[in-house]
Amino acid sequence: QSALTQPPSASGSPGQSVTISCTGTSSDVGGYNYVSWYQQHPGKAPKLMIYEVSKRPSGVPDRFSGSKSGNTASLTVSGLQAEDEADYYCSSYAGSNNLGYVFGTGTKVTVL
Amino acid sequence: EVQLVESGGGLIQPGGSLRLSCAASGFTVSSNYMSWVRQAPGKGLEWVSVIYSGGSTYYADSVKGRFTISRDNSKNTLYLQMNSLRAEDTAVYYCARLRLRHAFDIWGQGTMVTVSS
């Protein structure tokens, strides 16, 4: 149950785009289309932003989008806004064979 | 309103036990997959345990044999019994509902557990 690998940090100016990668294995990210992404502001609980690789829950702006290729998933935030500055975590289902779920190492997004 | 409220955290000595509770409102715990996720101070999220609607339970290797997830249908509440606590178990513990094909869609506010002598 190793954590999924994310870059520690990413940044962009307001209005620009930033993309965060999330690399796992064929047992998690690559094996299922059950990758989700979470936004966490300091001192707050995480918030679901993307599920099933690329679907957005109701209320999440369409500036947030997700994709996957092989063992790597990605989250893109377009038209960066100040309120997008937060930590972002990916997560993947890892199978019913007692593996459960795995989170990414987290990426701090800074809006310059 | 759909909501999760955790309680039961606190300061506990190494080797001790603690039971966390997560009271749900606006939906039925027993009809959903429910999970515990923790976050050590300044660190990332770590999945801890899940209980499926059918009752099956699974645990992260780091807590297997020490933690037990359960639910009380009459109280619509999720629990995490934590035994043989270690310093590395120090974290904010969140309960979360799993829906939308294995996504954690609703989170509680978290409860802090500190394991220290």
Side-chain angles (χ1 to χ4, degrees):
Chain A
Q1 292 174 330
S2 298
L4 308 175
T5 300
Q6 296 180 233
S9 61
S11 62
S13 299
Q16 290 186 331
S17 295
V18 64
T19 297
I20 304 166
S21 61
C22 168
T23 301
T25 69
S26 58
S27 296
D28 38 63
V29 174
Y32 306 92
N33 285 325
Y34 297 146
V35 176
S36 49
W37 289 89
Y38 304 86
Q39 177 191 66
Q40 186 180 35
H41 287 108
K44 301 294 186 181
K47 175 187 176 184
L48 176 65
M49 305 302 285
I50 295 287
Y51 67 98
E52 281 191 77
V53 176
S54 61
K55 298 179 180 179
R56 278 177 291 104
S58 174
V60 173
D62 59 6
R63 302 184 292 104
F64 292 85
S65 63
S67 63
K68 191 187 88 167
S69 177
N71 295 337
T72 298
S74 297
L75 172 72
T76 298
V77 185
S78 305
L80 270 173
Q81 299 182 4
E83 59 262 36
D84 299 333
E85 183 162 301
D87 293 324
Y88 291 83
Y89 295 90
C90 60
S91 177
S92 176
Y93 177 61
S96 59
N97 189 23
N98 209 28
L99 295 178
Y101 301 83
V102 60
F103 281 94
T105 50
T107 298
K108 169 66 175 179
V109 170
T110 301
V111 181
L112 301 171
Chain B
E1 180 189 8
V2 174
Q3 193 176 7
L4 294 168
V5 178
E6 301 97 335
S7 60
L11 175 64
I12 187 76
Q13 290 189 340
S17 298
L18 207 59
R19 188 180 80 159
L20 305 183
S21 300
C22 172
S25 56
F27 72 97
T28 302
V29 164
S30 61
S31 300
N32 287 271
Y33 295 2
M34 298 295 298
S35 195
W36 289 95
V37 176
R38 68 185 181 183
Q39 186 170 35
K43 303 297 184 181
L45 301 173
E46 180 188 15
W47 173 75
V48 172
S49 181
V50 64
I51 182 167
Y52 290 146
S53 51
S56 299
T57 59
Y58 297 95
Y59 301 89
D61 287 344
S62 57
V63 306
K64 201 173 298 181
R66 301 187 299 122
F67 290 12
T68 302
I69 190 172
S70 64
R71 65 193 181 205
D72 185 328
N73 298 345
S74 66
K75 295 182 179 179
N76 207 30
T77 298
L78 178 73
Y79 299 101
L80 185 67
Q81 177 66 44
M82 305 185 295
N83 298 330
S84 303
L85 282 162
R86 307 165 179 167
E88 53 264 37
D89 295 319
T90 294
V92 174
Y93 285 74
Y94 296 100
C95 65
R97 185 179 73 177
L98 275 159
R99 270 198 180 178
L100 303 173
R101 299 297 186 103
H102 300 290
F104 301 90
D105 71 328
I106 302 294
W107 296 69
Q109 85 287 354
T111 187
M112 182 70 202
V113 173
T114 302
V115 184
S116 175
S117 54

